[in-house]
């Protein structure tokens, strides 16, 4: 009989281990309860906050007034059931019982030892007890008790339902994490205050136990000492003897010092944790964005790139290790992370292969740009990398490292200077386009499937009549590869256009906007 039960238990454990549906369901609940990156967790947290607040409100109203039957039913059965289900789910996802069974069974088979259910039961209980005895689980368990309203003393546990909100508020969790980082200092201060309160209680009781009507027992003395040392001072108990007043003065001075010390501990803890809190918030915001552009370095070029991306409403994040430049980026309203882009951990944390579209290396140091390029390319083959350098020898290294595009500001400045000397009018035109003065600019437009240019020829559309100049057409080498193109400058009128081709056009902003709008409208019209 025992062997039959063991075989059934082991078979069931293997069944769970090999069941994709079971794994999927358990992973879903684990993400919903514990994974802050899971998109649906915030809705679950909001739902639980609503349940907790409604329950606390009902229980508080019930102290002096009789609540409606349906509210009583809601609190007694629905809320309590939700809390019980949540408690059991958290216990379930905390560990895998079937894995313990399989592990012990395979071990017994390997060493040819008898399979012990007692050992399995002990290990399972140890793992579950680790959850049951955790502070958060204790609060969850006690929060279920206020539903038994007939037992009046259990009403005090209503407070624990409010404590449950700690699970669902990141700000509160961060606050307690900050306090936890200073637990040694806080524990020392609490011990010191408890010692002084105890001494003060005994002294005031000895001096005024028989002379002061407000101090009739030791508890009154402890109450006076705690109220005084915390500088609250209700005034309901005051010393009446000279010795008692002397004790009061010492306690007050000690309390003021302790409060100052406590304030300095909390302020220093916040100062130390502030960068981490900022990083967490930025990471949470960035995790929701797709097609992110990383600007590595916030020097003059980085600032210019950030300003242009902001004007074009592109998602971007500035990575900078210099605190002054980080502050500058924050003042400019940029999403910024104080981190070293040459480290793989930084790019992995930003999910380079999933969320990042391009990496723009524009630090002032060519070597750092090379390191960032190598780092980014080693982690992701598809991400587009644009790198800045000053030296042509470094440009070759950047290409070997995997950069898709190289920017050499000094070389561009030299070319523009030569144009200005020989062709000042052309220089003015170029400068107007680059700086977008007079709203003239160069832009690229992709031909959408089904638009009026899909299948047309260049000569079919009169660019000049629409105040546009067609500079080039970029065509794909392969229809499935969106990144590889060849360029046809000044394309002839018989050049055939098709979906996926990119037109490089020059003109006023209003002309380009009108052209893009007509392309979009033609696609919608064709779909309808």
């Amino acid at each position: 009989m025992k062997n039959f039960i063991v075989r059934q238990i082991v078979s069931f454990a293997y069944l769970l281990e090999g069941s994709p549906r079971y794994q999927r369901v358990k992973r879903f609940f684990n993400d919903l309860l514990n994974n802050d990156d899971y998109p649906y967790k915030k809705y679950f947290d909001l739902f639980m906050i609503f349940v907790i607040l409604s329950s606390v409100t009902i229980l508080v109203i019930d102290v002096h007034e009789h609540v409606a039957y349906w509210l009583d039913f809601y609190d007694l059965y629905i809320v309590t059931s939700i809390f019980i289900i949540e408690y059991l789910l958290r216990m379930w996802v905390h560990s895998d019982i079937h894995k313990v069974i399989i592990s012990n069974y395979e071990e017994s088979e390997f060493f040819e030892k008898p399979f012990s259910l007692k050992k399995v039961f002990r290990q399972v209980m140890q793992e579950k007890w680790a959850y049951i005895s955790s502070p958060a689980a204790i609060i969850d368990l006690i929060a279920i008790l206020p539903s038994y309203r007939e037992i009046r003393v259990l009403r005090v546990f209503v407070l624990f339902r409010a404590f449950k909100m700690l699970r669902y508020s990141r700000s509160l969790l961060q606050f307690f994490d900050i306090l936890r980082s200073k637990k040694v200092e806080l524990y020392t201060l609490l011990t010191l205050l408890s010692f002084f309160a105890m001494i003060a209680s005994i002294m005031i009781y000895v001096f005024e136990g028989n002379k002061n009507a407000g101090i009739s027992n030791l508890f009154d003395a402890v109450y006076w000492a705690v109220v005084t040392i915390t500088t609250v001072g209700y005034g309901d108990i005051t010393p009446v003897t000279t010795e008692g007043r002397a004790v009061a003065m010492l306690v007050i001075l000690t309390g003021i010092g302790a409060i100052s010390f406590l304030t300095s501990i909390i302020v220093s803890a916040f100062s130390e944790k502030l960068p981490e809190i900022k990083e967490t918030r930025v990471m949470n915001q960035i995790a929701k964005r797709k097609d992110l552009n990383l600007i590595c370095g916030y020097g003059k070029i980085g600032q210019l790139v950030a300003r242009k991306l902001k004007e074009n409403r592109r998602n971007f994040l500035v990575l900078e290790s210099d605190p002054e430049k980080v502050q500058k980026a924050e003042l400019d309203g940029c999403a910024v992370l104080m981190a070293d882009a040459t480290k793989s951990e930084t790019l992995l944390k930003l999910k380079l292969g999933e969320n990042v579209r391009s990496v723009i290396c524009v630090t002032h140091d060519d070597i750092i740009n090379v390191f960032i390029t190598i780092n980014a390319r080693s982690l992701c083959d598809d991400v587009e990398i644009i790198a800045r350098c000053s030296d042509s020898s470094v440009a070759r290294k950047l290409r070997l490292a995997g950069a898709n595009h190289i920017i050499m500001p000094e070389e561009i400045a030299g070319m523009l200077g030569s144009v200005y000397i020989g062709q000042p009018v052309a220089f003015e035109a170029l400068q107007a386009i680059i700086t977008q003065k007079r709203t003239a600019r160069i832009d690229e437009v992709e031909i959408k499937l089904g638009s009026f240019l899909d299948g047309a020829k260049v000569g079919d559309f009169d660019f000049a009549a629409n105040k546009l100049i067609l500079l080039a057409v970029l065509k794909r080498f392969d229809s499935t590869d969106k990144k590889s193109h060849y360029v046809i400058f000044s394309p002839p009128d018989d050049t055939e256009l098709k979906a996926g081709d990119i037109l490089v056009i020059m003109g006023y902003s209003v002309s380009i906007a009108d052209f893009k709008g007509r392309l979009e409208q033609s696609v919608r019209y064709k779909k309808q």
Side-chain angles (χ1 to χ4, degrees), residues 265-332:
I265 289 174
I266 294 176
V267 169
S268 68
F270 268 97
S271 300
E272 292 170 6
K273 287 284 183 179
L274 197 57
E276 189 178 328
I277 293 172
K278 284 183 178 178
E279 179 181 335
T280 304
R281 293 194 173 180
V282 170
M283 293 301 295
N284 290 334
Q285 293 172 357
I286 293 303
K288 302 171 186 173
R289 300 179 185 177
K290 299 294 181 184
D291 291 338
L292 188 68
N293 300 285
L294 292 184
I295 303 174
C296 303
Y298 200 67
K300 290 181 179 178
I301 297 178
Q303 293 172 27
L304 182 63
V305 173
R307 189 164 64 243
K308 293 297 179 186
L309 290 177
K310 190 187 291 184
E311 288 174 359
N312 294 326
R313 299 185 178 182
R314 300 284 183 85
N315 292 326
F316 70 92
L317 173 69
V318 176
L319 290 179
E320 178 58 68
S321 56
D322 186 343
E324 292 184 3
K325 292 179 180 176
V326 170
Q327 191 175 11
K328 167 70 175 165
E330 289 175 342
L331 291 173
D332 292 343

Side-chain angles (χ1 to χ4, degrees), residues 51-282:
V51 172
I52 292 167
L53 288 177
S54 61
S55 173
V56 171
T57 304
I58 292 170
L59 287 169
V60 170
I61 293 173
D62 190 47
V63 174
H64 290 292
E65 300 177 14
H66 180 68
V67 297
Y69 171 76
W70 67 273
L71 283 175
D72 199 42
F73 181 87
Y74 163 78
D75 184 54
L76 189 59
Y77 295 104
I78 298 178
V79 173
T80 304
S81 298
I82 292 172
F83 286 173
I84 291 174
I85 292 170
E86 185 211 7
Y87 182 81
L88 294 176
L89 283 174
R90 287 188 185 279
M91 189 189 297
W92 176 47
V93 302
H94 178 72
S95 60
D96 291 310
I97 296 176
H98 68 278
K99 288 186 176 177
V100 177
I101 296 171
I102 292 172
S103 173
N104 277 270
Y105 176 75
E106 291 181 349
E107 182 182 332
S108 65
E109 288 290 307
F110 181 77
F111 291 107
E112 298 181 350
K113 296 189 302 183
F115 179 71
S116 173
L117 279 176
K118 288 183 180 178
K119 183 181 176 184
V120 171
F121 179 76
R122 190 166 54 250
Q123 288 185 8
V124 169
M125 288 307 299
Q126 284 175 350
E127 292 183 357
K128 296 301 180 186
W129 181 252
Y131 168 74
I132 295 170
S133 59
S134 64
I138 292 172
I139 290 175
D140 288 346
L141 183 62
I142 297 176
I144 300 171
L145 298 178
S147 57
Y148 303 103
R149 297 183 186 183
E150 290 76 11
I151 307 173
R152 191 169 182 79
V153 69
L154 294 182
R155 288 171 184 270
V156 72
F157 293 122
V158 67
L159 190 61
F160 284 85
R161 289 196 169 179
F163 282 153
K164 272 178 70 67
M165 290 180 61
L166 295 175
R167 277 189 182 276
Y168 311 107
S169 173
R170 289 185 184 177
S171 298
L172 288 174
L173 287 174
Q174 284 178 343
F175 177 75
F176 283 102
D177 284 341
I178 289 169
L179 293 184
R180 196 178 296 120
S181 68
K182 293 290 181 182
K183 61 182 179 183
V184 175
E185 292 86 344
L186 292 173
Y187 178 75
T188 304
L189 180 61
L190 180 64
T191 305
L192 191 63
L193 281 175
S194 301
F195 176 75
F196 277 117
M198 182 187 71
I199 296 296
S201 304
I202 295 172
M203 290 177 71
I204 199 71
Y205 184 68
V206 169
F207 289 136
E208 302 200 354
N210 297 325
K211 299 176 183 177
N212 192 332
I215 303 176
S216 57
N217 53 49
L218 188 59
F219 180 77
D220 291 338
V222 172
Y223 166 75
W224 173 85
V226 172
V227 168
T228 307
I229 205 167
T230 54
T231 68
V232 176
Y234 291 122
D236 52 343
I237 301 175
T238 55
V240 295
T241 65
T242 305
E243 295 84 355
R245 287 170 181 163
V247 172
M249 286 189 289
L250 289 174
V251 173
I252 290 170
L253 291 175
T254 304
I256 292 172
I259 295 296
S260 304
F261 187 37
L262 176 65
T263 305
S264 66
I265 289 174
I266 294 176
V267 169
S268 68
F270 268 97
S271 300
E272 292 170 6
K273 287 284 183 179
L274 197 57
E276 189 178 328
I277 293 172
K278 284 183 178 178
E279 179 181 335
T280 304
R281 293 194 173 180
V282 170

Side-chain angles (χ1 to χ4, degrees), residues 382-526:
D382 298 328
V383 70
E384 190 169 23
I385 300 176
I386 303 165
R388 166 202 178 277
C389 68
S390 304
D391 194 331
S392 56
S393 63
V394 178
R396 183 172 176 276
K397 293 174 183 174
L398 280 169
R399 291 192 187 283
L400 292 173
N404 300 96
H405 308 284
I406 310 294
I407 302 172
M408 300 181 68
E410 290 81 359
E411 187 175 296
I412 293 172
M415 291 170 65
L416 285 174
S418 64
V419 170
Y420 177 72
I421 293 172
Q423 301 168 303
V425 177
F427 174 81
E428 291 291 339
L430 280 173
Q431 191 178 34
I433 293 168
I434 293 172
T435 59
Q436 295 188 6
K437 289 181 179 177
R438 301 175 190 175
T439 65
R441 63 190 176 100
I442 296 176
D443 207 340
E444 58 183 51
V445 182
E446 182 177 349
I447 298 177
K448 302 288 181 63
L449 181 65
S451 65
F452 69 88
L453 286 180
D454 184 15
K457 294 183 178 178
V458 170
D460 294 339
F461 183 76
D462 192 348
F463 287 91
N466 289 276
K467 309 296 183 187
L468 293 170
I469 299 174
L470 178 62
L471 299 178
V473 176
L474 277 68
K475 287 184 166 292
R476 294 177 186 172
F477 286 108
D478 185 350
S479 59
T480 59
D481 186 1
K482 295 183 178 181
K483 293 188 175 180
S484 300
H485 295 87
Y486 62 94
V487 183
I488 305 175
F489 286 106
S490 186
D493 289 345
D494 60 347
T495 304
E496 189 175 348
L497 302 174
K498 59 183 180 180
D501 290 350
I502 296 174
L503 307 181
V504 181
I505 55 177
M506 185 174 74
Y508 293 110
S509 296
V510 63
S511 303
I512 295 174
D514 177 68
F515 179 64
K516 288 182 176 179
R518 291 168 66 179
L519 270 178
E520 289 291 334
Q521 285 178 359
S522 66
V523 174
R524 292 176 191 167
Y525 178 76
K526 193 162 186 175

